[in-house]
Structure formats: C-alpha cells, structure tokens
Coordinates of all heavy atoms in Angstrom, one line a residue:
K224 N 0.8 -1.2 0.0 CA 0.0 0.0 0.0 C 0.9 1.3 0.0 O 0.7 2.2 -0.8 CB -0.9 0.0 1.2 CG -2.1 -0.9 1.1 CD -3.0 -0.8 2.4 CE -4.2 -1.7 2.3 NZ -5.0 -1.7 3.6
L225 N 1.9 1.3 0.9 CA 2.8 2.5 0.9 C 3.6 2.6 -0.4 O 3.8 3.7 -0.9 CB 3.7 2.4 2.1 CG 3.1 2.7 3.5 CD1 4.2 2.5 4.6 CD2 2.5 4.1 3.6
A226 N 4.0 1.5 -0.9 CA 4.8 1.5 -2.1 C 4.0 2.0 -3.3 O 4.5 2.8 -4.1 CB 5.4 0.1 -2.4
R227 N 2.8 1.7 -3.3 CA 1.9 2.1 -4.5 C 1.6 3.6 -4.4 O 1.3 4.3 -5.4 CB 0.6 1.3 -4.6 CG 0.9 -0.1 -4.8 CD -0.3 -0.9 -5.2 NE -0.8 -0.5 -6.6 CZ -1.8 -1.1 -7.2 NH1 -2.4 -2.1 -6.7 NH2 -2.1 -0.7 -8.4
E228 N 1.7 4.2 -3.2 CA 1.5 5.6 -3.0 C 2.6 6.5 -3.7 O 2.3 7.5 -4.3 CB 1.4 6.0 -1.5 CG 0.1 5.6 -0.9 CD 0.0 6.2 0.5 OE1 0.6 7.3 0.8 OE2 -0.6 5.5 1.4
V229 N 3.8 6.0 -3.6 CA 4.9 6.7 -4.2 C 5.4 6.1 -5.5 O 6.1 6.8 -6.3 CB 6.1 6.8 -3.2 CG1 5.7 7.5 -2.0 CG2 6.6 5.4 -2.8
D230 N 5.0 4.9 -5.8 CA 5.4 4.2 -7.0 C 4.2 3.5 -7.6 O 4.1 2.2 -7.6 CB 6.5 3.2 -6.7 CG 7.0 2.5 -8.0 OD1 7.0 3.1 -9.0 OD2 7.5 1.3 -7.8
P231 N 3.2 4.2 -8.1 CA 1.9 3.6 -8.5 C 2.0 2.6 -9.6 O 1.2 1.7 -9.7 CB 1.0 4.8 -8.9 CG 2.0 5.9 -9.1 CD 3.1 5.7 -8.2
E232 N 3.0 2.8 -10.5 CA 3.2 1.8 -11.6 C 4.1 0.7 -11.2 O 4.3 -0.2 -12.1 CB 3.8 2.6 -12.8 CG 2.8 3.7 -13.3 CD 3.4 4.4 -14.5 OE1 4.5 4.1 -14.9 OE2 2.8 5.4 -15.0
G233 N 4.6 0.6 -10.0 CA 5.4 -0.5 -9.6 C 6.8 -0.6 -10.3 O 7.3 -1.7 -10.4
I234 N 7.3 0.6 -10.8 CA 8.6 0.5 -11.5 C 9.8 0.2 -10.7 O 10.7 -0.5 -11.1 CB 8.7 1.9 -12.2 CG1 7.6 2.1 -13.3 CG2 10.1 2.0 -12.9 CD1 7.6 3.5 -13.9
R235 N 9.8 0.8 -9.4 CA 11.0 0.6 -8.6 C 10.6 -0.2 -7.3 O 11.3 0.0 -6.3 CB 11.6 1.9 -8.2 CG 10.6 3.0 -7.6 CD 11.3 4.3 -7.5 NE 10.4 5.3 -6.9 CZ 10.3 5.6 -5.6 NH1 11.0 4.9 -4.8 NH2 9.4 6.5 -5.2
T236 N 9.6 -1.1 -7.4 CA 9.2 -1.9 -6.3 C 9.4 -3.4 -6.6 O 9.1 -3.8 -7.7 CB 7.7 -1.7 -5.9 OG1 7.5 -0.3 -5.6 CG2 7.3 -2.5 -4.7
I237 N 10.0 -4.1 -5.6 CA 10.1 -5.5 -5.8 C 9.5 -6.2 -4.5 O 9.6 -5.7 -3.4 CB 11.6 -6.0 -5.9 CG1 11.7 -7.5 -5.9 CG2 12.5 -5.4 -4.7 CD1 13.1 -8.0 -6.2
G238 N 8.7 -7.2 -4.8 CA 7.9 -7.9 -3.7 C 8.6 -9.1 -3.2 O 9.3 -9.8 -3.9
V239 N 8.5 -9.3 -1.9 CA 9.0 -10.5 -1.3 C 7.9 -11.2 -0.5 O 7.1 -10.6 0.2 CB 10.2 -10.2 -0.3 CG1 10.6 -11.5 0.5 CG2 11.3 -9.6 -1.0
L240 N 7.7 -12.5 -0.8 CA 6.6 -13.3 -0.2 C 7.3 -14.2 0.8 O 8.0 -15.1 0.5 CB 5.9 -14.1 -1.2 CG 5.2 -13.2 -2.3 CD1 4.6 -14.1 -3.4 CD2 4.1 -12.3 -1.8
T241 N 7.0 -14.0 2.1 CA 7.5 -14.8 3.2 C 6.4 -15.8 3.7 O 5.2 -15.7 3.2 CB 7.9 -14.0 4.4 OG1 6.8 -13.3 4.9 CG2 9.0 -12.9 3.9
K242 N 6.8 -16.7 4.5 CA 5.9 -17.7 5.1 C 5.1 -18.5 4.1 O 4.0 -18.9 4.2 CB 4.9 -17.0 6.0 CG 5.5 -16.2 7.1 CD 4.5 -15.5 8.0 CE 5.2 -14.6 9.1 NZ 4.3 -14.0 10.0
V243 N 5.8 -18.8 2.9 CA 5.2 -19.6 1.9 C 5.0 -21.0 2.4 O 4.0 -21.7 2.0 CB 6.2 -19.7 0.7 CG1 5.6 -20.6 -0.4 CG2 6.4 -18.3 0.1
D244 N 5.8 -21.5 3.3 CA 5.6 -22.9 3.9 C 4.5 -23.0 4.9 O 4.1 -24.1 5.2 CB 6.9 -23.3 4.6 CG 7.4 -22.3 5.6 OD1 7.1 -21.1 5.5 OD2 8.0 -22.8 6.6
L245 N 3.9 -21.8 5.3 CA 2.8 -21.8 6.2 C 1.5 -21.7 5.6 O 0.4 -21.6 6.3 CB 3.0 -20.7 7.3 CG 4.3 -20.7 8.1 CD1 4.3 -19.6 9.1 CD2 4.5 -22.1 8.8
M246 N 1.4 -21.7 4.3 CA 0.1 -21.6 3.5 C -0.7 -22.8 3.7 O -0.1 -23.9 3.9 CB 0.4 -21.2 2.1 CG 1.1 -19.9 1.8 SD 1.3 -19.5 0.1 CE -0.4 -19.3 -0.4
D247 N -2.0 -22.7 3.6 CA -2.9 -23.9 3.6 C -2.5 -24.9 2.5 O -2.1 -24.5 1.4 CB -4.3 -23.5 3.5 CG -4.8 -22.6 4.7 OD1 -4.1 -22.7 5.8 OD2 -5.7 -21.8 4.5
E248 N -2.7 -26.1 2.8 CA -2.4 -27.2 1.9 C -3.2 -27.0 0.6 O -4.5 -26.7 0.7 CB -2.7 -28.6 2.5 CG -2.2 -29.7 1.6 CD -2.3 -31.1 2.3 OE1 -2.6 -31.1 3.5 OE2 -2.1 -32.1 1.7
G249 N -2.6 -27.1 -0.5 CA -3.3 -27.0 -1.8 C -3.3 -25.6 -2.3 O -3.8 -25.3 -3.4
T250 N -2.7 -24.6 -1.6 CA -2.6 -23.2 -2.0 C -1.2 -22.9 -2.3 O -0.3 -23.5 -1.7 CB -3.2 -22.3 -1.0 OG1 -2.4 -22.4 0.2 CG2 -4.7 -22.6 -0.7
D251 N -1.0 -21.9 -3.2 CA 0.4 -21.5 -3.5 C 0.3 -20.0 -4.0 O -0.7 -19.4 -4.0 CB 1.0 -22.3 -4.6 CG 0.2 -22.4 -5.9 OD1 -0.3 -21.3 -6.3 OD2 -0.1 -23.5 -6.4
V252 N 1.5 -19.5 -4.3 CA 1.6 -18.1 -4.7 C 2.0 -17.9 -6.2 O 2.6 -16.9 -6.6 CB 2.6 -17.3 -3.8 CG1 2.0 -17.2 -2.4 CG2 4.0 -18.0 -3.8
I253 N 1.7 -19.0 -7.0 CA 2.1 -18.9 -8.4 C 1.5 -17.8 -9.1 O 2.2 -17.1 -9.9 CB 1.8 -20.3 -9.1 CG1 2.6 -21.4 -8.5 CG2 2.0 -20.2 -10.6 CD1 4.0 -21.3 -8.7
N254 N 0.2 -17.5 -8.9 CA -0.4 -16.4 -9.6 C 0.2 -15.0 -9.2 O 0.3 -14.1 -10.0 CB -1.9 -16.3 -9.2 CG -2.7 -17.4 -9.9 OD1 -2.2 -17.9 -10.9 ND2 -3.9 -17.7 -9.4
I255 N 0.7 -14.9 -8.0 CA 1.4 -13.7 -7.6 C 2.7 -13.6 -8.2 O 3.1 -12.5 -8.7 CB 1.5 -13.6 -6.0 CG1 0.1 -13.6 -5.4 CG2 2.3 -12.4 -5.6 CD1 0.2 -13.7 -3.8
L256 N 3.5 -14.7 -8.2 CA 4.8 -14.7 -8.8 C 4.8 -14.4 -10.3 O 5.7 -13.8 -10.9 CB 5.5 -16.1 -8.6 CG 5.8 -16.4 -7.1 CD1 6.4 -17.8 -7.0 CD2 6.8 -15.4 -6.5
T257 N 3.7 -14.8 -11.0 CA 3.6 -14.5 -12.4 C 3.0 -13.2 -12.7 O 2.7 -12.9 -13.9 CB 2.8 -15.6 -13.1 OG1 1.5 -15.8 -12.4 CG2 3.5 -17.0 -13.0
G258 N 2.7 -12.4 -11.7 CA 2.2 -11.0 -11.9 C 0.7 -10.9 -12.3 O 0.3 -9.9 -12.8
K259 N -0.1 -11.9 -11.9 CA -1.5 -11.9 -12.2 C -2.3 -11.2 -11.2 O -3.5 -11.0 -11.4 CB -2.0 -13.3 -12.5 CG -1.3 -14.0 -13.7 CD -1.8 -15.4 -13.9 CE -1.1 -16.1 -15.1 NZ -1.6 -17.5 -15.3
V260 N -1.8 -10.9 -10.0 CA -2.6 -10.3 -8.9 C -2.3 -8.8 -8.8 O -3.1 -8.0 -9.2 CB -2.3 -11.0 -7.6 CG1 -3.1 -10.4 -6.4 CG2 -2.6 -12.5 -7.7
I261 N -1.1 -8.5 -8.3 CA -0.7 -7.1 -8.3 C 0.7 -7.0 -9.0 O 1.7 -7.3 -8.4 CB -0.6 -6.6 -6.9 CG1 -1.9 -6.7 -6.1 CG2 -0.1 -5.1 -6.8 CD1 -1.9 -6.2 -4.7
P262 N 0.7 -6.7 -10.3 CA 2.0 -6.8 -11.0 C 3.0 -5.7 -10.6 O 2.6 -4.6 -10.2 CB 1.5 -6.5 -12.5 CG 0.2 -5.8 -12.4 CD -0.4 -6.2 -11.1
L263 N 4.2 -6.1 -10.6 CA 5.3 -5.2 -10.3 C 6.4 -5.4 -11.4 O 6.6 -6.5 -11.9 CB 6.0 -5.5 -8.9 CG 5.1 -5.3 -7.7 CD1 5.9 -5.8 -6.4 CD2 4.7 -3.9 -7.5
R264 N 7.0 -4.3 -11.8 CA 8.0 -4.3 -12.8 C 9.1 -5.3 -12.5 O 9.6 -6.1 -13.4 CB 8.6 -2.9 -13.1 CG 9.8 -2.9 -14.1 CD 9.3 -3.0 -15.5 NE 8.4 -1.9 -15.8 CZ 8.8 -0.7 -16.2 NH1 10.1 -0.4 -16.4 NH2 7.9 0.3 -16.5
N265 N 9.6 -5.4 -11.2 CA 10.7 -6.3 -10.8 C 10.2 -7.6 -10.3 O 11.0 -8.4 -9.8 CB 11.6 -5.6 -9.8 CG 12.2 -4.3 -10.4 OD1 12.9 -4.4 -11.4 ND2 12.1 -3.2 -9.7
G266 N 8.9 -7.8 -10.3 CA 8.3 -9.1 -9.9 C 8.4 -9.3 -8.4 O 8.6 -8.4 -7.5
Y267 N 8.1 -10.7 -8.0 CA 8.1 -11.1 -6.6 C 9.1 -12.3 -6.5 O 9.4 -13.0 -7.5 CB 6.7 -11.6 -6.2 CG 5.7 -10.5 -6.2 CD1 5.0 -10.2 -7.4 CD2 5.3 -9.9 -5.0 CE1 4.0 -9.2 -7.4 CE2 4.3 -9.0 -5.0 CZ 3.7 -8.6 -6.2 OH 2.7 -7.6 -6.2
V268 N 9.6 -12.4 -5.3 CA 10.5 -13.6 -5.0 C 9.9 -14.2 -3.7 O 9.7 -13.6 -2.7 CB 11.9 -13.2 -4.7 CG1 12.8 -14.4 -4.3 CG2 12.5 -12.5 -6.0

C-alpha cells in the first residue's frame, strides 16, 4: 500500500513473499509470482 502511493506503476518496487511454507495445503503463490494479482516491474520472490 505504501509502495503504491509513491510508485503507483510499480517501476521501482520488488515484492518478497514470506511464510510460503505456512500456507494452507493446496494453495500457492504462483499467480502472484507470475504477476497476475498485483503486477510489479521487478516481480516477486
């Protein structure tokens, strides 16, 4: 939210997804990593 206030196009923002191992069984973050949820120029890790 804060990043989008100063970088609305996501040009200089990179996302980090933590606690991937704590997600419910059968769920993943593939859609986020491929930029289908909230796209960022530098993507997510």
Side-chain angles (χ1 to χ4, degrees):
K224 282 181 183 178
L225 284 180
R227 296 193 72 172
E228 286 187 31
V229 297
D230 182 31
E232 297 179 3
I234 295 174
R235 53 188 179 90
T236 303
I237 177 171
V239 176
L240 300 173
T241 62
K242 304 183 182 181
V243 178
D244 56 328
L245 301 181
M246 297 181 68
D247 295 336
E248 188 175 351
T250 61
D251 55 46
V252 291
I253 294 298
N254 286 340
I255 298 175
L256 294 176
T257 54
K259 294 179 180 179
V260 181
I261 300 177
L263 297 174
R264 175 75 61 86
N265 296 307
Y267 294 83
V268 178

